Amino acid sequence: MSNAVKLHYFLGRGRAETTRWMLAINQIGFNNIPITTPEDLIELRSSGKLPFDQMPLLEINGMNLSQSSGMIRYLARIGGFYGDNDKEALYCDMFAGAITDFAEASMQAAFQPTKEIAVKMLKERFNKFAPKFELRIQENGNEFCVGKKISFADVILTEALSAYIEWIPDLLKNTPLLLSIYEKVINQTGIKLYLSSELRYPKPDEKYVIDVARVLQRALPAHMSDINRFVN
Ligand SMILES: N[C@@H](CCC(=O)N[C@@H](CS)C(=O)NCC(=O)O)C(=O)O
């Protein structure tokens, strides 16, 4: 158990989810360690394992890793998902930056006052990025974001798309190249196993929003009742 890979985060997907997908594609087993109370977070912070006092924390190979962008790149390197040369690695990073901007809307969706507002925000973000993603994929030969095999860019793009699709099921009907990458990635053995396992948290809902505010002892979104109930 001491060598087990541990991912400490709220009881949900959030900023830990790309790391979970990268662990999954590498077929590295891991345990979710849920942080569900302010006391859990205080204890984690006093353990000295959080370099920047922030979650997620990934305990792997004797290291305490912070910053999801660092975690996914480490997992990309050890699994061979970081392109085949410096130029491909650079393009993976460029894609990853844009995907992070794209994914931010899906991360904020559960925090919106209504489903309609969330969907409108997601559609706007999708319409901004999807044509550019499709064009880059087309220039690369239609199959992958970068190079001639799956890279971490494809994995985190699919993770973001999977969250969008939960809000807008027919999202990819006019973007065949995104659909093709999405289908390719969700059918990778490790990803398939992960998505059907208990490690995969459900679509974030109001309970998740409340959990985050309670753990961080911060205000709830303005549309909710008693918004300062967790603020000291
Ligand atoms: N860029 C970081 C963001 C980390 C972050 O903002 N973590 C939040 C939870 S999602 C946190 O720990 N907030 C408490 C704090 O910053 O003190 C990553 O992707 O890992």
Side-chain angles (χ1 to χ4, degrees):
M1 184 69 183
S2 60
N3 286 331
V5 175
K6 295 181 193 154
L7 188 56
H8 304 250
Y9 197 63
F10 304 111
L11 200 60
R13 298 180 192 168
R15 296 189 195 281
E17 195 58 15
T18 50
T19 295
R20 295 191 184 101
W21 281 59
M22 286 305 298
L23 288 163
I25 197 150
N26 277 294
Q27 301 195 43
I28 297 172
F30 65 96
N31 297 314
N32 283 319
I33 312 290
I35 301 299
T36 59
T37 65
E39 293 74 28
D40 286 347
L41 184 56
I42 289 167
E43 194 182 323
L44 186 59
R45 282 181 167 150
S46 10
S47 73
K49 289 180 176 177
L50 298 182
F52 307 115
D53 255 1
Q54 292 178 306
M55 297 188 292
L57 163 71
L58 178 64
E59 292 191 67
I60 185 167
N61 296 336
M63 299 180 289
N64 297 318
L65 303 185
S66 180
Q67 291 294 332
S68 51
S69 59
M71 297 170 197
I72 61 175
R73 282 167 175 78
Y74 172 67
L75 295 166
R77 278 193 195 91
I78 64 178
F81 296 105
Y82 213 147
D84 280 340
N85 52 51
D86 287 350
K87 189 173 173 192
E88 286 187 6
L90 168 66
Y91 276 86
C92 284
D93 285 336
M94 276 175 49
F95 249 106
I99 293 162
T100 303
D101 296 341
F102 172 65
E104 193 58 35
S106 60
M107 223 140 359
Q108 296 307 325
F111 293 78
Q112 301 310 304
T114 63
K115 181 182 173 197
E116 290 67 32
I117 292 174
V119 167
K120 181 170 179 291
M121 178 185 72
L122 289 165
K123 281 187 174 163
E124 280 170 8
R125 193 66 68 98
F126 183 78
N127 291 339
K128 171 177 166 61
F129 280 101
K132 307 291 180 197
F133 289 152
E134 286 257 312
L135 190 59
R136 301 277 87 80
I137 296 161
Q138 189 187 4
E139 284 171 355
N140 189 51
N142 294 331
E143 283 202 73
F144 304 101
C145 290
V146 179
K148 298 291 170 227
K149 60 180 198 202
I150 289 183
S151 70
F152 81 95
D154 300 301
V155 176
I156 64 169
L157 175 59
T158 301
E159 188 279 313
L161 291 173
S162 75
Y164 271 71
I165 286 170
E166 286 175 329
W167 291 90
I168 311 166
D170 66 352
L171 180 81
L172 302 181
K173 65 177 189 298
N174 296 320
T175 50
L177 301 182
L178 288 177
L179 178 62
S180 146
I181 287 184
Y182 172 81
E183 285 178 341
K184 206 162 4 217
V185 172
I186 60 165
N187 283 306
Q188 295 301 301
T189 306
I191 299 285
K192 222 171 162 173
L193 281 170
Y194 165 63
L195 291 177
S196 60
S197 76
E198 288 184 353
L199 290 166
R200 169 75 163 167
Y201 287 114
K203 178 183 173 188
D205 56 10
E206 191 175 275
K207 181 185 171 305
Y208 175 72
V209 172
I210 292 171
D211 276 357
V212 171
R214 191 182 58 249
V215 172
L216 295 179
Q217 297 182 281
R218 73 178 186 198
L220 289 159
H223 66 275
M224 295 177 86
S225 61
D226 191 10
I227 63 169
N228 287 319
R229 76 181 96 148
F230 301 120
V231 179
N232 275 330

